[in-house]
Amino acid sequence: FLSTFINKTYLKTESIDEIRQRFEEESSVQLRHFFNEEWENKVKSRLLKEDTEQNVGRGQPALDYSVGINEDWTSVGPAHKQRFLEYVGNNAEIDGSSCGSVLSYLKKMVFQSPQFGRLLKNYTSLGFPLGYRGKVRRFRPGLDYTIAHYGILTKEAVLDATMCFVRGSGKQSLGEEDDDEDDILWQSDDKGGFECYIAADDEDEENVEAADEYNDDDDTKLLSVSASHNTLSLVYRDPGTMRFVKYVGSGAPSSRWDIAIEYQVEDDDEETQDE
């Protein structure tokens, strides 16, 4: 079933073992080119079409807060904590005409499936997910972001699975001549769109806007994940950790489109009892 959607490399036993080892060592892992070529092309063609038709990104002026909002996409606020679009349409279609409908289909068919739950168990050793919640999101250049605040802290640890799609090839830029220009820009983080994990400051709970002014040298930063096309990020987030998506600058190559899922996972005691 999963081979219909996912790059077969990530379903091989040796790859699963390597992913699990890295996740156990670092509590996070990023898997590039996660969906197979068919599904990658379905998403990419639609995101490029919608961004181009709506004149967003690549330095286009971002003056219209209503861009992209329709019966299927709603704006999420409040603005002092976050602004992005969430897909709320009922169309989760295999060949949907919109990017949102295809992403919603992938969310339903892959990320909410028991087969993917078992794959996550093998990737992370955290056990089969006990539950989940998630969104299909769009962060428009020059407009959208989330801010880390204490209201988003979880009472229990969760596994974040964030499937990102942007303009670019999704390859890691290595400073070579044939590097994709869009990949270089996203990887530099100069135009935002990256997801950052920071440690909550127990002594500063009044400062809910703590991450609005991002400082790359901030010693509370635990992990930063650059936006990358067709890349799945898995991160174990404990109750003392906050996360945010940095404001996407108007000069970004495209919108950041993602499927963001939080999985409830077993704690160590429960896992030991199950064994």
Side-chain angles (χ1 to χ4, degrees):
F1 170 76
L2 290 179
S3 61
T4 305
F5 301 94
I6 295 173
N7 184 333
K8 292 181 180 179
T9 298
Y10 291 123
L11 302 177
K12 295 179 179 179
T13 300
E14 56 267 32
S15 297
I16 292 173
D17 290 343
E18 290 176 7
I19 292 167
R20 181 170 59 249
Q21 181 178 354
R22 180 162 183 177
F23 188 88
E24 289 175 349
E25 291 173 353
E26 302 183 11
S27 297
S28 67
V29 66
Q30 284 71 52
L31 307 179
R32 296 178 183 271
H33 313 295
F34 187 71
F35 280 107
N36 61 33
E37 187 174 351
E38 176 188 356
W39 285 99
E40 186 268 338
N41 287 333
K42 283 184 179 182
V43 175
K44 189 172 186 176
S45 62
R46 288 160 175 78
L47 76 83
L48 293 178
K49 180 176 182 289
E50 292 185 37
D51 272 0
T52 300
E53 289 178 347
Q54 295 166 9
N55 295 316
V56 299
R58 294 185 172 268
Q60 298 281 355
L63 303 175
D64 185 2
Y65 288 92
S66 67
V67 66
I69 297 176
N70 52 42
E71 61 182 8
D72 292 329
W73 288 95
T74 187
S75 181
V76 177
H80 70 282
K81 292 183 179 179
Q82 60 190 358
R83 182 171 57 234
F84 59 87
L85 302 188
E86 178 184 358
Y87 186 78
V88 294
N90 294 319
N91 300 318
E93 301 175 354
I94 187 171
D95 285 314
S97 59
S98 72
C99 189
S101 63
V102 175
L103 293 179
S104 182
Y105 181 83
L106 292 175
K107 173 177 174 285
K108 176 183 178 181
M109 296 300 294
V110 178
F111 294 99
Q112 296 176 194
S113 71
Q115 292 91 337
F116 189 72
R118 288 192 288 271
L119 184 63
L120 284 179
K121 178 181 179 180
N122 292 330
Y123 279 168
T124 66
S125 299
L126 292 175
F128 189 86
L130 303 176
Y132 59 82
R133 63 178 182 177
K135 296 180 173 69
V136 172
R137 308 183 297 183
R138 179 186 181 187
F139 292 84
R140 302 159 297 173
L143 295 172
D144 295 336
Y145 55 87
T146 64
I147 291 173
H149 58 90
Y150 287 86
I152 65 174
L153 287 175
T154 59
K155 294 182 179 179
E156 299 177 347
V158 297
L159 174 65
D160 290 329
T162 307
M163 186 69 222
C164 180
F165 295 95
V166 292
R167 181 190 289 268
S169 72
K171 295 180 181 178
Q172 185 173 10
S173 298
L174 301 174
E176 300 176 354
E177 289 186 6
D178 59 349
D179 283 350
D180 184 279
E181 291 183 3
D182 294 323
D183 292 337
I184 294 172
L185 197 54
W186 287 119
Q187 190 171 311
S188 74
D189 293 337
D190 289 344
K191 302 301 179 182
F194 58 88
E195 188 159 39
C196 190
Y197 289 77
I198 62 174
D201 186 348
D202 294 335
E203 298 179 357
D204 194 23
E205 294 193 12
E206 298 288 325
N207 187 11
V208 296
E209 306 289 334
D212 190 19
E213 293 298 327
Y214 174 74
N215 179 359
D216 192 48
D217 296 324
D218 190 341
D219 60 7
T220 65
K221 184 179 76 170
L222 303 175
L223 176 69
S224 183
V225 182
S226 299
S228 177
H229 181 61
N230 194 20
T231 298
L232 174 66
S233 173
L234 299 176
V235 180
Y236 180 78
R237 176 161 53 100
D238 64 33
T241 303
M242 301 186 290
R243 64 172 177 164
F244 64 94
V245 174
K246 180 62 177 176
Y247 169 81
V248 182
S250 61
S254 70
S255 298
R256 173 195 166 110
W257 308 71
D258 66 26
I259 303 169
I261 311 286
E262 293 180 7
Y263 292 96
Q264 182 184 359
V265 294
E266 299 173 343
D267 61 31
D268 293 338
D269 292 339
E270 289 175 335
E271 197 167 334
T272 300
Q273 290 172 6
D274 288 343
E275 293 175 355

